[in-house]
Amino acid sequence: MRADDNENPYVPKSATVVAVKNESLETKTLRVRLYKWKAEFQPGQFVQLLLPGVGEAPFCIASSPSDQKHIDLTIIRRGLVTIASHYMRPGDVVGIRGPFGRPFPISRMLGKDLLIVGTGIGIAALRSLILFLADHREEFGEIDLLYGARFPEDLVYRDEMKNWGEKMNVMITLSKASPEWGGLRGRVTDHLDGVVKRESQIAILCGSPLVMRSISHELLRRGLKADQIFVSLERHMKCGIGKCARCLISGGWHVCKDGPVFSLDEISLEAIGE
Amino acid sequence: MKAAFYSLTSCEGCLTTLITNLGPNLQALWRIFDIDYFKLVREPVGGEKVPRVDIAFVEGAVVTSLDKKRISQIRANSSFVVALGTCASCGNIAYSASRGVDLKRRALREIEVFEAEPLSSYVSVDFELSGCPVSAEEFTVALLRLLNGIEPKQPDFSVCYECKMSGNRCLLDVGKVCLGPIAMGGCGSACPSVGAPCYSCRGPAVEADLSAYLRTIRRHGIPEGKALSAMNAFTGKKIVELLKDGKK
Amino acid sequence: MIRIKEGDLLRLASMLGDMGYRVIAPTEANGVTKFSDFSAGTGIDLDYIRAINTPRDFLLPDGERLYTYRSTATVTSYGLKIRFPTVEGPCPVTINAEYSTPSGRIAFFAIHPCHANAIRYLDRVMLSDPADPYYKARRERSLIVVLECEEGDDFCFCVPAGSWKLDDGYCDILVRRSGDEFLLQPKSKAGEEAASKLNARAEADLLEEKAPKMRSSFSISTSEEMIDRCESEGLDSCTLCAACTVTCPTCYCSDIEDRFHLVDPSNVERLRKRMSCQRRCYSMIAGGNLFIKTKEDRYRWRLKHKFPFSSKAFGISGCVGCGNCIAFCPAGIDMRRTVGRGFKT
């Protein structure tokens, strides 16, 4: 059976790389155009990217849901697929499965103040949400975006941050900044004081498991309730539809089906990982 | 891309296996690579000189003074060195067989003979593809990953895992000294599937736990000594290292 | 209910084969009973208690091909286009993925009630939305002939696990040994159709499932906290061989990987391989981080997946009490000590 006219969730559909952007030393953003199909996705969902001849890996969609013909994937060099993805050139054909997973709870966020915290490459999973919020700015309260990285060279989306700054309060902090760095210094947890204050705030976190745990801990200590905090988790999902059990986490949740976005009243801090 | 296939002290079984078992893939190999050195297939263009290559596949253990010289030349001229087979990755039979004997008397004219060592004792090795001999299938998979600029991977499971997958009766249950639980898998449990115990010809598994294994065989009433001597047969240096760790 | 001789039961297996089923039956060889393809003339082990493989191996076969695709474009982008004659010419615009779902019918002959319940569990996992198309195609056309056990061995605990009872749809024909004879009870249309071919006289009695005799009695109670707290007794002999998950009838974890061919590298197969939580790469993410590191963690993870996770995600327990993980463990690790309340060896 040809794959282009089926609903087999294992079989990828075709897409073409249309642009590759260098974000930082280790990070590139691949823009792919879907070939004769549309992806109806929401911020927070992920896709499985098949690089022909290399393999498949899950990536959170990093582009605005208003464009269903294109998907941006921001990829850091780490493993097999991610390294190979850095060799992709415009015109290369890839396979895309998805979108999969439970998105960010937009309906719960409407009208509320938002605190978005991303560290490292975790910001990629938040970009879709950030772009969505920028498009629908008037439907939400105050938005604070706190982005932490180690070195200035690690920062991604540098050119876009200015545009985002017009729509929300963007704070960038570096834990290993060079002397020339004029912005905030230290870890994201050092800068929570000014931004965590609101009763009705919703916090959205994405980053390495340890960092997410320490941020969650700080937020809870500052009086946010567990159901106000949402985390986006990373596991090596293989199938994306809850059949391979590779992304099970404590509590019996499948990250691919029930996540990757969880509120902290659903999962324990330990389930985030180390 | 340039590649070369070298042979140190060994039975040349690994390269022979590749030639016989790669089938149509062997021709594909010659289309994909510029193979400057593969003496079993054809006389190398540059004679015995070690050519500059991207990937060098080396079989055999380092035993003689010639081997020592050769392996450092190979390392210096190759971007990526793959140890092919258990001789190159662990030392294999030669490792234990060359210990405790008077090697001076074995010298051949000016060629000195030393205690056998795997390649990693002398040079840094980028990837080890174990097997006695290597499997052509695994070689192909590793090669394709290398072609894509990706490091190949070793099996992360033991022979015991594959043996249960094949649905064999456990040989420990019938009192045979089988090294399956600590042996590196990937062979498809070739020996246990025909009733012969595993001798761990690919070296220890990635997560081999010697003390757990010894407890397990004691439970089956198998004397430890028998298992330890079986371990010494093929896996050479790696088992010696594992034994040292186990005693700590 | 019908009453037949042993020869007739074997005849039933061949008849299922004639009806177009691929018949999977327990056969004994080299001291171990194994489910394998039955063909007329081969023997069936009707006295077996334990088999080393399970129906799962046929419903979710290791190395199943999910689809094939063309990888032409990428090979060129890696700078290899000159060398591969197959990738000359303009790049295609699609990866041309093609797949086929399995056809053909499978009959599981003389599996025990625990295995029938294992299929029920796999159904919950694989047929929940979105359904696995490969598994679904096999299950829709499968037939189950259940052979009851009279007595379990040292490792059986289907009575504490509650899996000696059969749900509707998980038994087409129920078979019980009664002395030299066998009692048959068709429980579905397909079962009736097959049993009618035996031309045996039907008796009025209805055959109901009966609990087998157990050598130990205990109750199963688990929660994540209890499993986390458990002592890791005996785990120091665990060699992480993963026999527990390989022989488990409900373990379904899998990995998906490419299979290439050097001769035609642009033609790639995508295969589903079995995976085990006892293996290192089970929880590895990019960069080599492991989420489940130690032996103790992996042992607990297996039990958590079987009990609390399965109850939460699928509404039923993932353990059917077949005892395979205990019987086939080279180290003799017994999970009943962790989850069984009042369990004594």
Side-chain angles (χ1 to χ4, degrees):
Chain A
M1 232 180 284
R2 288 294 294 275
D4 293 320
D5 44 47
N6 78 85
E7 280 310 318
N8 184 331
Y10 286 105
V11 180
K13 294 178 182 170
S14 299
T16 316
V17 177
V18 288
V20 181
K21 190 178 147 213
N22 291 317
E23 299 282 2
S24 74
L25 280 179
E26 285 194 309
T27 317
K28 286 188 183 189
T29 297
L30 253 54
R31 160 154 286 227
V32 299
R33 187 197 297 126
L34 309 178
Y35 181 75
K36 291 187 180 169
W37 63 288
K38 271 194 230 165
E40 285 169 16
F41 66 91
Q42 288 172 316
Q45 289 192 295
F46 69 96
V47 292
Q48 291 276 6
L49 171 69
L50 172 83
L51 296 187
V54 182
E56 205 175 48
F59 295 100
C60 273
I61 302 172
S63 52
S64 165
S66 60
D67 182 359
Q68 299 184 335
K69 283 299 291 171
H70 293 90
I71 285 178
D72 285 357
L73 303 168
T74 300
I75 303 172
I76 187 161
R77 290 177 68 102
R78 279 294 178 265
L80 191 146
V81 175
T82 54
I83 292 176
S85 73
H86 280 223
Y87 292 96
M88 299 307 271
R89 303 268 172 278
D92 286 345
V93 174
V94 297
I96 298 272
R97 290 198 290 134
F100 298 120
R102 183 172 66 168
F104 290 114
I106 298 289
S107 57
R108 276 205 54 196
M109 292 153 65
L110 286 171
K112 300 260 175 68
D113 293 334
L114 305 178
L115 169 62
I116 302 169
V117 187
T119 63
I121 194 63
I123 193 77
L126 300 170
R127 183 174 175 245
S128 179
L129 176 71
I130 294 166
L131 295 173
F132 176 85
L133 295 177
D135 286 348
H136 303 81
R137 185 64 191 86
E138 61 288 350
E139 295 168 39
F140 300 90
E142 280 184 44
I143 304 176
D144 294 296
L145 170 65
L146 184 52
Y147 172 30
R150 286 199 295 175
F151 300 99
E153 299 83 54
D154 292 342
L155 289 174
V156 297
Y157 307 138
R158 260 175 285 188
D159 48 339
E160 294 172 54
M161 291 283 172
K162 266 193 212 99
N163 297 339
W164 299 354
E166 290 166 14
K167 301 273 190 180
M168 56 193 80
N169 171 32
V170 178
M171 299 159 71
I172 301 173
T173 176
L174 295 178
S175 59
K176 294 191 175 156
S178 52
E180 306 88 66
W181 174 251
L184 297 173
R185 286 165 188 271
R187 297 167 182 278
V188 283
T189 41
D190 301 335
H191 303 286
L192 291 173
D193 279 333
V195 287
V196 190
K197 50 190 180 232
R198 298 161 194 113
E199 278 271 294
S200 68
Q201 202 170 27
I202 298 268
I204 310 270
L205 318 178
C206 189
S208 76
L210 264 184
V211 175
M212 278 200 282
R213 279 171 71 162
S214 63
I215 303 171
S216 309
H217 188 77
E218 286 296 314
L219 293 178
L220 291 169
R221 203 171 62 81
R222 285 171 160 81
L224 250 66
K225 293 199 182 63
D227 68 343
Q228 286 174 275
I229 305 172
F230 291 85
V231 291
S232 175
L233 298 188
E234 178 199 9
R235 285 294 187 281
H236 197 160
M237 303 91 151
K238 286 281 174 179
C239 67
I241 51 174
K243 307 293 181 218
C244 74
R246 297 292 291 283
C247 63
L248 264 181
I249 56 166
S250 236
W253 303 95
H254 289 91
V255 173
C256 66
K257 239 173 39 169
D258 309 314
V261 177
F262 291 97
S263 85
L264 278 190
D265 63 340
E266 291 168 329
I267 59 166
S268 62
L269 282 184
E270 286 71 43
I272 296 176
E274 281 170 20
Chain B
M1 219 180 244
K2 281 175 181 269
F5 292 78
Y6 302 100
S7 200
L8 303 180
T9 301
S10 65
C11 67
E12 307 214 6
C14 289
L15 293 187
T16 312
T17 304
L18 292 188
I19 293 169
T20 48
N21 289 5
L22 273 176
N25 282 344
L26 188 65
Q27 283 162 15
L29 202 67
W30 288 87
R31 280 204 305 274
I32 296 162
F33 286 111
D34 293 315
I35 300 180
D36 289 354
Y37 194 101
F38 197 157
K39 217 175 168 187
L40 267 186
V41 178
R42 69 166 184 212
E43 197 58 40
V45 189
E48 281 304 303
K49 208 171 142 275
V50 174
R52 171 115 212 113
V53 294
D54 297 301
I55 307 176
F57 296 93
V58 187
E59 68 160 4
V62 183
V63 177
T64 65
S65 47
L66 276 183
D67 290 341
K68 278 190 184 180
K69 204 172 131 203
R70 197 116 179 107
I71 187 62
S72 57
Q73 283 173 344
I74 292 168
R75 179 69 265 187
N77 284 296
S78 322
S79 315
F80 200 92
V81 174
V82 179
L84 208 59
T86 310
C87 290
S89 69
C90 305
N92 211 342
I93 294 178
Y95 187 86
S96 47
S98 62
R99 268 144 183 91
V101 285
D102 183 11
L103 292 169
K104 290 229 169 67
R105 289 175 50 209
R106 308 285 173 105
L108 296 162
R109 291 193 208 119
E110 70 280 12
I111 304 173
E112 279 183 86
V113 178
F114 305 97
E115 290 184 336
E117 291 283 348
L119 306 187
S120 54
S121 299
Y122 292 99
V123 296
S124 68
V125 175
D126 298 299
F127 183 69
E128 289 177 345
L129 192 66
S130 281
C132 189
V134 290
S135 113
E137 173 82 26
E138 275 188 291
F139 170 81
T140 314
V141 172
L143 191 71
L144 279 156
R145 286 175 74 106
L146 283 170
L147 278 175
N148 285 339
I150 300 155
E151 201 182 334
K153 60 177 178 186
Q154 290 182 320
D156 69 331
F157 46 83
S158 61
V159 170
C160 203
Y161 174 78
E162 289 184 307
C163 190
K164 288 291 184 298
M165 292 267 257
S166 326
N168 300 322
R169 183 179 194 186
C170 184
L171 292 173
L172 295 175
D173 283 348
V174 292
K176 289 193 184 174
V177 185
C178 180
L179 298 183
I182 50 162
M184 180 180 283
C187 58
S189 69
C191 298
S193 294
V194 293
C198 171
Y199 269 89
S200 188
C201 72
R202 302 172 154 236
V206 179
E207 295 189 305
D209 186 339
L210 194 62
S211 55
Y213 172 69
L214 293 178
R215 265 184 219 107
T216 295
I217 57 167
R218 240 178 272 143
R219 191 181 156 262
H220 289 268
I222 298 167
E224 242 172 62
K226 268 185 162 179
L228 291 174
S229 67
M231 278 178 218
N232 278 327
F234 277 91
T235 41
K237 192 176 181 185
K238 289 212 173 146
I239 279 289
V240 173
E241 282 168 1
L242 210 62
L243 283 169
K244 262 189 223 151
D245 288 348
K247 279 196 185 118
K248 266 179 211 164
Chain C
M1 184 180 82
I2 52 179
R3 193 179 288 271
I4 55 167
K5 294 260 183 280
E6 182 168 333
D8 285 330
L9 191 61
L10 296 177
R11 201 155 58 84
L12 178 66
S14 333
M15 280 181 341
L16 287 171
D18 296 340
M19 286 165 73
Y21 284 103
R22 175 189 174 197
V23 182
I24 308 294
T27 38
E28 205 258 271
N30 304 321
V32 61
T33 300
K34 202 170 155 181
F35 291 108
S36 49
D37 280 283
F38 167 85
S39 56
T42 57
I44 296 183
D45 183 2
L46 291 171
D47 300 313
Y48 84 108
I49 292 181
R50 181 167 303 291
I52 194 166
N53 61 350
T54 71
R56 185 264 338 265
D57 295 334
F58 302 92
L59 291 170
L60 290 167
D62 182 39
E64 166 154 53
R65 188 166 82 186
L66 297 179
Y67 60 93
T68 59
Y69 68 90
R70 307 295 297 181
S71 91
T72 322
T74 310
V75 176
T76 57
S77 70
Y78 291 154
L80 298 168
K81 66 180 160 204
I82 318 146
R83 306 298 303 184
F84 285 128
T86 45
V87 296
E88 292 296 333
C91 286
V93 285
T94 76
I95 56 170
N96 288 315
E98 284 186 33
Y99 75 99
S100 59
T101 44
S103 55
R105 306 197 283 176
I106 301 184
F108 292 106
F109 193 81
I111 62 173
H112 286 326
C114 52
H115 283 148
N117 275 296
I119 295 176
R120 173 170 166 256
Y121 174 78
L122 291 176
D123 276 7
R124 288 284 177 99
V125 178
M126 289 294 155
L127 302 182
S128 63
D129 186 54
D132 182 282
Y134 310 92
Y135 180 88
K136 193 171 166 220
R138 288 202 180 86
R139 267 299 280 139
E140 275 170 352
R141 290 187 291 269
S142 61
L143 182 109
I144 302 173
V145 179
V146 175
L147 173 66
E148 272 197 346
C149 295
E150 284 169 65
E151 189 185 348
D153 64 9
D154 285 341
F155 311 106
C156 286
F157 60 103
C158 66
V159 174
S163 58
W164 59 274
K165 287 186 220 103
L166 296 161
D167 254 22
D168 277 351
Y170 296 96
C171 176
D172 295 287
I173 303 176
L174 181 67
V175 183
R176 177 182 303 159
R177 184 186 275 279
S178 160
D180 291 344
E181 294 179 318
F182 287 88
L183 307 176
L184 251 73
Q185 177 65 56
K187 294 193 136 213
S188 72
K189 236 185 194 154
E192 262 164 35
E193 189 198 334
S196 68
K197 302 206 171 171
L198 283 170
N199 293 325
R201 196 173 54 84
E203 295 176 22
D205 297 358
L206 208 65
L207 194 66
E208 295 281 351
E209 308 96 277
K210 193 173 77 185
K213 269 184 257 161
M214 289 281 112
R215 292 187 191 170
S216 59
S217 80
F218 57 94
S219 67
I220 294 176
S221 70
T222 51
S223 68
E224 270 193 66
E225 293 72 39
M226 279 160 90
I227 292 171
D228 275 331
R229 274 204 316 267
C230 76
E231 283 175 50
S232 46
E233 191 190 341
L235 277 189
D236 51 356
S237 336
C238 172
T239 51
L240 292 175
C241 72
C244 44
T245 60
V246 170
T247 58
C248 175
T250 60
C251 274
Y252 61 90
C253 294
S254 64
D255 201 32
I256 304 176
E257 62 179 43
D258 278 339
R259 184 160 73 190
F260 311 93
H261 304 279
L262 258 184
V263 176
D264 180 7
S266 57
N267 190 12
V268 188
E269 290 174 280
R270 202 104 176 109
L271 308 180
R272 170 157 62 189
K273 301 277 254 187
R274 302 259 335 259
M275 183 35 83
S276 161
C277 52
Q278 309 299 305
R279 282 172 60 178
R280 194 159 155 265
C281 61
Y282 172 84
S283 67
M284 196 186 277
I285 58 164
N289 270 350
L290 295 184
F291 282 94
I292 313 169
K293 296 190 186 80
T294 63
K295 263 185 225 182
E296 287 77 15
D297 285 350
R298 292 187 204 178
Y299 172 73
R300 289 185 182 133
W301 191 260
R302 176 166 69 91
L303 296 185
K304 282 181 195 172
H305 191 177
K306 291 288 164 236
F307 298 101
F309 293 179
S310 289
S311 311
K312 159 82 179 53
F314 310 113
I316 56 175
S317 163
C319 177
V320 293
C322 69
N324 271 6
C325 58
I326 311 164
F328 293 112
C329 176
I333 295 164
D334 193 335
M335 48 88 94
R336 290 175 295 185
R337 283 187 217 145
T338 308
V339 301
R341 304 293 143 218
F343 169 72
K344 280 184 219 78
T345 30

